[in-house]
Amino acid sequence: MAPPTAPLAGRPANPADGRVPEDPVAFLIEHALGHLFSAALRTAVQYRVADHLAEGPRTVEQLAEATGTHAPHLRRLLRYLATRDVFREDATGAFHLTPGARPLRSDVPHSLRDAVLMMTDETFRRSSAALAETVRTAGPSFDRIFGAPLFEFLAADPGTRELFDTGMASLSGPVDGPVAESYPFPEGSTVVDVGGGRGGLLRAVLELHPTVSGVLHDQAPAIARHVLDVPELAGRWRAETGDFFASVPEGGDVYVLKHVLHDWSDAACVDILRRVRDAVPARGRLLIVDSVLPPGNAPHYGKAMDVAMMAVVEGRERTAEEYATLLSAADFRLTRVLSTPVFPSIVESVPAARTVPRATGGTGDAASAPRP
């Protein structure tokens, strides 16, 4: 196959904005090889290149000695990553840590190292490679490849479960503070973090609002490694194990579903929302923290994540209108969508008049679905 007729200079034009790429051949070939970028990123993370650059620039020979790799091949890999601002090579041939690569360090607050390892793991790679079958059958590739839905597979595979839990904590960490700062949690209120994992968002909320108390609700494996047991939060929180398809804790004022609904089909989401509706008081609120897809074809984090969800689970990223439809089906009314400085938005809703009787447990097949 002939190479592109001209080298790529920076990022090629994006046809979504109406411009034609200067070199359509190079544009398409670069994107066809996109899987190599994630593989290169994973390789740099596995060899902790960012950690080795923390004290300053180093030559590729120094990096190769520190990482136990082959210097010429390592240079080619880092040169490729540098085309997208992950590391930078100077005129002397030394590589520098860039702002884009700094979160790959393992020793910085809100490191994304574990998130990258999770999202480039074979569970995601193999599922994404089978997208053609996903599009044909309208079912996740993951189930066919690994023999069970994602959360059932995680329950039976402790190693992958650990990778998933640490990866999700890494992915969530950088957004917890900005999300907590973006919503006016009422003074003296009780916040119930439903499916809250290790409690990173709840911790951020409690640290920012000294009069607020909280409840962390999730299954036992996630709660077992919660991050709430710090002296400054003593007496202001409790943890409750449970399954949000069955019930959620009552007595809260603000209920939060962060990175939960995008894992599930519309029917399962309505089931989860109805369990929240059973618990929320008349003057309570529900906050959905997830990507909200904008209209049009401009690049957006959620559009890439939406395809990933399609390959791995029955879930999806949604527009504001789609969230409004789900909420209405569960007797909530969407009141507003708040932007945050990070990729998730906050979809706020309040209880509406009941059209579905209060339930004592989950409904449908989703009630027994395992959760991380």
Side-chain angles (χ1 to χ4, degrees), residues 3 7 68-69 92 102 137 155 171 201 208 252 260 295 359 363:
T69 57
T92 71
R102 184 177 181 274
T137 64
L171 184 63
L201 176 58
L208 283 169
V260 170
T363 60

Side-chain angles (χ1 to χ4, degrees), residues 103 110-116 165-175:
H110 307 314
S111 168
L112 288 175
R113 184 176 189 275
D114 289 335
V116 170
D165 284 351
T166 57
M168 287 303 299
S170 170
L171 184 63
S172 295
V175 310

Side-chain angles (χ1 to χ4, degrees), residues 81-162:
L81 291 172
T83 66
R84 302 192 190 182
D85 302 323
V86 180
F87 310 119
R88 177 176 65 83
E89 185 180 13
D90 64 25
T92 71
F95 282 90
H96 298 243
L97 193 66
T98 59
R102 184 177 181 274
L104 299 179
R105 287 176 54 184
S106 60
D107 59 347
V108 295
H110 307 314
S111 168
L112 288 175
R113 184 176 189 275
D114 289 335
V116 170
L117 290 175
M118 176 191 71
M119 289 189 287
T120 59
D121 182 69
E122 68 166 353
T123 51
F124 279 81
R125 295 198 315 268
R126 292 176 60 188
S127 298
S128 298
L131 272 176
E133 188 69 7
T134 292
V135 170
R136 187 181 70 83
T137 64
S141 313
F142 186 98
D143 299 26
R144 295 187 296 274
I145 294 169
F146 294 98
L150 173 65
F151 296 123
E152 289 183 17
F153 180 84
L154 294 178
D157 188 317
T160 306
R161 174 59 186 263
E162 173 66 14

Side-chain angles (χ1 to χ4, degrees), residues 8 29 78 91 139 158 181 183 219 239 251 263 276 344 354:
L8 294 176
I29 289 177
L78 297 181
E181 293 171 355
Y183 189 79
Q219 293 190 344
D263 286 338
V276 178
R354 277 193 174 278

